[in-house]
Amino acid sequence: MDSQQFREAAISSIDEIVKYYDTIEDRRVVSSVEPGYLRKLLPEEAPQNGETWADIQKDIETKVLPGITHWQSPNFLAWFPSSSSYPAMLGEMYSTAFTGAAFNWVCSPVVTELETIVLDWLARAFALPPCYLSTGPTHGGGVIHGTASEAIATVMVAARDKYLREATAHITDDEEREDAIALRRTKLVALGSVATHSATKKAAQIAGVRFRAVPVHAGDGYKMTGAELRNTIAALHAKGLEVFYLTATLGTTDTCAIDDFDSIADVLDEIAPAATLTSEQKRDGQGEIWVHVDAAYAGAALVCLEYQHLTPVLARFHSYNTNLHKWLLVNFDCSVLYVRDRTWLTDALSVSLAILKNDHTDSGLVTDYRDWQIPFGRRFRSLKVWFVIRMYGISGLQAHIRKHVKLAEDFADMLRTRPDLFEIVTGPRFALTVFKLKGKSQAATVQEVNALTKKSYDDVLTDGQIFMSSTVVGGVFAIRHCPATPFVEGHHVKKHFEILVSIAEKTLAEA
Amino acid sequence: MDSQQFREAAISSIDEIVKYYDTIEDRRVVSSVEPGYLRKLLPEEAPQNGETWADIQKDIETKVLPGITHWQSPNFLAWFPSSSSYPAMLGEMYSTAFTGAAFNWVCSPVVTELETIVLDWLARAFALPPCYLSTGPTHGGGVIHGTASEAIATVMVAARDKYLREATAHITDDEEREDAIALRRTKLVALGSVATHSATKKAAQIAGVRFRAVPVHAGDGYKMTGAELRNTIAALHAKGLEVFYLTATLGTTDTCAIDDFDSIADVLDEIAPAATLTSEQKRDGQGEIWVHVDAAYAGAALVCLEYQHLTPVLARFHSYNTNLHKWLLVNFDCSVLYVRDRTWLTDALSVSLAILKNDHTDSGLVTDYRDWQIPFGRRFRSLKVWFVIRMYGISGLQAHIRKHVKLAEDFADMLRTRPDLFEIVTGPRFALTVFKLKGKSQAATVQEVNALTKKSYDDVLTDGQIFMSSTVVGGVFAIRHCPATPFVEGHHVKKHFEILVSIAEKTLAEA
C-alpha cells in the first residue's frame, strides 16, 4: 500500500466512520453474537499472500460490527461511559502517524512537553491544589497512564517503596537494607473500602502486599468514613500489621459515593502525622500512610465550578487520578495521574541502561516519563487531550458534564413519578442513578425485591433496546442508569424510562 | 464539531499525514529543540472557549513537528525501530472510532475474539510450539500488551504467585497462608543477565522481589549461558535465597545476542526439575523457576523460516513476548505475550466486582483478557494487527525482515572495507551491527579507543543527518547501526556509511 492508496483507503474509512456515528442509534446497543462467533468466520491461519484493502474493508461491516457493543450509542447506560469525540479521533490519527516508542525526552520532545503542559492546564481546570502542578511548590506533576488500574498499581508501588525507604533509612549496608526491606514488607497492608474499585485489590496483588477493605454503610450513603478507617487500622495494628496505603474514592463504581475526605485526613493526621513523624518512629513501625484519590469517572465533573469545593482537601493527600476517557471526551485510553512529589515515582521506578544515556536526561532539565509508569515506551496521548480541550474549550467541557447531570436528574424525577414501581437506592450523583423495583407489598422481603429487580433487569437485557449494568449494594440488587454518552438527549432518557416502566409493570403483574 | 466538519478535518489531516510520510526524508531526523521549547509557545491556561480546527491544525507544523523525532525516517538507526505502516494506521482509525473500555467479552466480543485469533495466527507464523496456542494442549494462549515492560512485569507477578502458591499448598488456613506467603516472598530473587533489558529489574521493583544479574562475557558473544546461570543460582542458594524467575533474551538490547536457551533449559532441569518436583520439595525451598523469553525486537524475524530453528526449545519455557510495534509494521503500542498455561495469569491477576457480573463470563466460554494484564480496560489493538497481516501476507512480512537483514549485512561489509577506521564489535545480528573506531595504533588502550569512538558518535549526532544510539558492552564504547525502518533502502545505508567514514576520518586525523 503506497501513500496514495492509503489516502483513498483512509478517506473511505472516514466515510464509513462518519456513517457509523450518524446512524449509531439504529444499531442494537449490545452485541448479540454467541461466544466463538468469529472463529467460525475466519481462516485458521494467516494468509500467505497479501489481500486487497477492498476485501478487508468489507469485513468491517460483516465480521467486526456484529461483535461491537456500541459504547457511543445514546442507549448505552452501563458501567461508566467510555466517550469518543471527533477532536480526539483527529488527535489519534496524528499520534499514530508520528509513531515512536517515546520512552524519553529526546525520542520526541513534544510528546513529553505537551503532556506536562496539558496536564497542568487540566490541574488548573479541575481546581486541583497547586501541589499537583509540575510548576508547583512540592515538585509534583501529572502523567498520562492508560487506565486507572495502572495508575493505582503505580502509586501503590511508589507508596510501598517510600514507606520502606523511610523505615530503613538508618541502615547503610546495601544487603542488610535489602533484607530489612524484604522483612518489613511482610507486614504491609494496602486499604480501600468495600466500595473501592477492584483495581486497588489487584494493585496489592501486583505489589505483593496484603489488602483489606474498610466497611461502608448504607446509612453513610456507602462512603468510607474516618471512624471506620480508624477501626480498621487499629485492628490491623493489633495484629502487628502496618498500613502504608489507602485508596479513597471520589465517585465509587457502584453508586458514585464520595468518601469522607475530611474525616479520613483527620484520622490519618491523628494516627500517622506525616509532618511530625521522626525517623525513629518510622523505623519502629509508624510510617506515613499514602492516600491516593481515585476519581476515575466523577473527577471529570471538577471542570464545573459547582464541584470544585471538593478539591482543597486533596492537598492533604498524595496522588489523584481521573480517566479522561470516561466522561471527558478523550477516546480510550487516557487516565491522568497527579502526584504531589514526582520523586516518589522516580525513586521507585527508575532504572537506567547505557543505551538510553543522553545529555538531556543527564542535565536534569527534562522529564523522562518512563520513570513515572510501568510501561517503558509511550504513545503520544497528549495530542488528543490538547485537541479536545482546545476545540471544546473549558466552557464546552462544562456544558458536556452539566447536560448529563441534568438528564440524570430528569430521569430520577421520572422514577419518582412511579413510586408504585421504582425506588431510588442512591443518586442521582454525577449522572448515575441506582434504583430497584418496589416490592409487591410493604411486607416484601429483601430477597423478594431483589428477585423482582433481577427479573426486570434480565428482561431489559433480553429486550436489547437499552444496555444497563446491575450491582449489589448492601445486599440489595440494583440497576444502574448512567446517561453520560456524547449523543444522549432528553428524548432518549424519556424512552429509557418508558422501556423500564413497561418491563417493570410486566414483572410486577407476573409476580 | 459535527460529523461533516469531522469528515473535512479528517481528510485534511490524512492529506497532511501523506505529505509528511512522502517527504519524511527531508526532515532532520532528530528534533533539535531545546528543553522547555513548547511552554514558551503555549498559553499557561486552557482556553475558556473553543477554537477552530483551522487554528489547531496550523499548530501541527509550527509547534508539534519541531518537537518530533522522526522514527520512520530512513536515517533513524537508533535503539530499535518503532515501525509504522498504512494498514496499521487504518486499524487505529477504526479502533478509535469503536472506542470502549473493553475489559470483558461482552464489552465488545470482537475485541476479545479477534485478539485470540490473530495471536494464534502469529504463534503459527512464528513457529512457536503448540503449547502457546489458545487451542493448544496446555491451555496456553496469547494476549496483546502495550510494551514488553508490561508483559514482563505481568509474567513476573504470575511467576511469583505460582511459586508461592505451590510452596504453601499444604496450608489450609487463609490467614496462616497469607503470613507464610509474605515470609517466603522475602527470599525470592528474579534473574536476568547483565545484558537483559532494564524491564526485568523494573519488574522486580514492581513485584517487590530481589533482582540479580547473571554475568555475560565477550567470549560468548554476550549471551547468557547455562554454566553462568548455575553459578549465580548456587551463590544465591548458599545465602538462603530462592530463584523463582528468569528472563532469557532472544536479541538483547545492546547487541542482539541470543541467550543459550538449550544450556539454560538443561541447567534448570538439573536444579529444579519441574516435572518431578514434589509438593514437599516445593514447601522446602525448591520451586520451579519460570523462564520468560523476551524477544521484544528480534522475535519478529521468526516469521522467516531461516530463524525458526530457534523456537522448539521455547516449549521448555513458560512465556514469550515480541513487540510487533518494533519490527513488524504494527504501530506502537503492541507487544504480544504468550503463556504456556493461561491459568497462571488469571490465578495471579483476577479479581471480581459485582458490577462486572455477566452470564458469558460465568459460563467459562469466554476470555476476559483483563485478568491477563495489569490494566483493567483495553483498546481494540488486534484490528491493526489483523489489517497488517492481511495486507502484507506472511510473505510480505518475510520480505520486510529480509530486506533489513540484507541491508545490515551490506553495511557490515562496507565497514570491513575500512579496517583502518572501523572494527565490528558484534553482528550483524537481526539487522543490528555494533561497531567501534580503530585506535590510532595497535597499542591504543581501550580508554583511548573509547574516547575516539565517543568523539565520532557525538559528531554524528551534532551533524544531524543520521541518528544512532551508542552503548557500552564489556567496557567498550560502541555505536549501534540498526537500519530496520520501513522506508530505508540500499542507497540510504550507503549514505550512512559515507557520513560515518567522513566523520571517523576527521576524528582520527584530529586525534
Side-chain angles (χ1 to χ4, degrees), chain A residues 179-202:
Chain A
D179 288 340
I181 283 174
L183 269 181
R184 187 73 173 260
R185 196 160 44 215
T186 64
K187 299 181 185 299
L188 297 193
V189 181
L191 294 180
S193 85
V194 297
T196 302
H197 189 276
S198 61
T200 296
K201 185 177 176 189
K202 183 165 177 174

Side-chain angles (χ1 to χ4, degrees), chain A residues 64 74 253 308 322 366 383 489:
Chain A
V64 174
T253 311
Q308 296 185 349
T322 293
V366 303
L383 202 55
E489 300 293 345

Side-chain angles (χ1 to χ4, degrees), chain A residues 7 15 21 36 51 59 69 71 97 107-108 113 160 178-179 202 205 210 212 348 370 373 390, chain B residues 7 15 21 36 51 59 69 71 97 107-108 113 160 178-179 202 205 210 212 348 370 373 390:
Chain A
R7 184 177 183 279
D15 284 339
Y21 275 84
E51 300 176 41
D59 285 347
T69 290
W71 287 65
C107 281
S108 268
E113 298 207 5
R160 182 198 67 192
E178 190 184 59
D179 288 340
K202 183 165 177 174
Q205 289 174 203
R210 301 165 197 249
R212 295 292 186 276
R370 72 169 185 280
Q373 62 175 24
R390 290 181 67 183
Chain B
R7 185 178 183 278
D15 284 340
Y21 275 83
E51 301 176 43
D59 285 346
T69 290
W71 287 65
C107 282
S108 267
E113 299 206 4
R160 182 198 66 192
E178 190 184 59
D179 287 342
K202 184 165 176 172
Q205 290 174 202
R210 300 164 197 250
R212 293 291 186 278
R370 73 168 185 279
Q373 61 174 23
R390 291 181 68 183

Side-chain angles (χ1 to χ4, degrees), chain B residues 199-215:
Chain B
T200 296
K201 184 177 176 191
K202 184 165 176 172
Q205 290 174 202
I206 291 162
V209 294
R210 300 164 197 250
F211 171 77
R212 293 291 186 278
V214 179

Side-chain angles (χ1 to χ4, degrees), chain B residues 157-399:
Chain B
V157 165
R160 182 198 66 192
D161 287 1
K162 171 178 177 292
Y163 187 98
L164 294 170
R165 211 165 41 239
E166 291 172 356
T168 57
H170 57 289
I171 306 175
T172 49
D173 178 75
D174 282 350
E175 272 198 42
E176 205 180 309
R177 194 160 187 229
E178 190 184 59
D179 287 342
I181 284 175
L183 269 180
R184 188 71 174 261
R185 195 160 45 214
T186 64
K187 300 181 184 300
L188 298 192
V189 182
L191 294 180
S193 85
V194 298
T196 302
H197 189 276
S198 60
T200 296
K201 184 177 176 191
K202 184 165 176 172
Q205 290 174 202
I206 291 162
V209 294
R210 300 164 197 250
F211 171 77
R212 293 291 186 278
V214 179
V216 296
H217 306 286
D220 297 323
Y222 302 105
K223 70 181 177 221
M224 176 167 39
T225 63
E228 281 292 2
L229 175 63
R230 186 194 288 111
N231 293 343
T232 301
I233 293 175
L236 291 165
H237 282 181
K239 290 189 175 184
L241 297 174
E242 299 175 31
V243 176
F244 74 102
Y245 171 93
L246 168 72
T247 297
T249 307
L250 196 167
T252 58
T253 311
D254 289 321
T255 69
C256 268
I258 303 174
D259 288 338
D260 186 1
F261 296 148
D262 286 310
S263 74
I264 289 169
D266 289 345
V267 163
L268 293 180
D269 272 353
E270 170 200 317
I271 294 177
T276 59
L277 272 181
T278 65
S279 57
E280 285 71 26
Q281 285 172 309
K282 287 175 180 169
R283 185 191 63 201
D284 299 334
Q286 277 193 72
E288 183 186 1
I289 297 175
W290 176 308
V291 182
H292 175 73
V293 176
D294 177 18
Y297 166 68
L302 297 180
V303 292
C304 300
L305 304 181
E306 60 270 32
Y307 291 105
Q308 295 184 352
H309 63 277
L310 292 167
T311 66
V313 68
L314 299 175
R316 300 176 72 182
F317 301 142
H318 299 72
S319 53
Y320 176 86
N321 79 281
T322 293
N323 294 354
L324 304 186
H325 61 244
K326 282 197 160 72
W327 199 14
L328 220 55
L329 295 162
V330 178
N331 294 49
F332 189 89
D333 50 356
C334 191
S335 180
V336 296
L337 167 68
Y338 291 93
V339 284
R340 218 173 64 202
D341 180 342
R342 54 191 178 246
T343 64
W344 295 335
L345 294 179
T346 55
D347 281 351
L349 293 165
S350 74
V351 281
S352 51
L353 281 180
I355 190 178
L356 303 178
K357 216 176 140 56
N358 68 84
D359 293 341
H360 293 294
T361 297
D362 295 343
S363 74
L365 283 177
V366 303
T367 300
D368 283 342
Y369 276 127
R370 73 168 185 279
D371 299 333
W372 298 46
Q373 61 174 23
I374 294 169
F376 186 72
R378 324 188 70 240
R379 292 202 301 132
F380 188 7
R381 286 187 284 216
S382 56
L383 202 56
K384 57 184 176 181
V385 180
W386 194 44
F387 286 3
V388 166
I389 297 175
R390 291 181 68 183
M391 288 222 64
Y392 284 85
I394 297 301
S395 61
L397 298 176
Q398 290 168 335

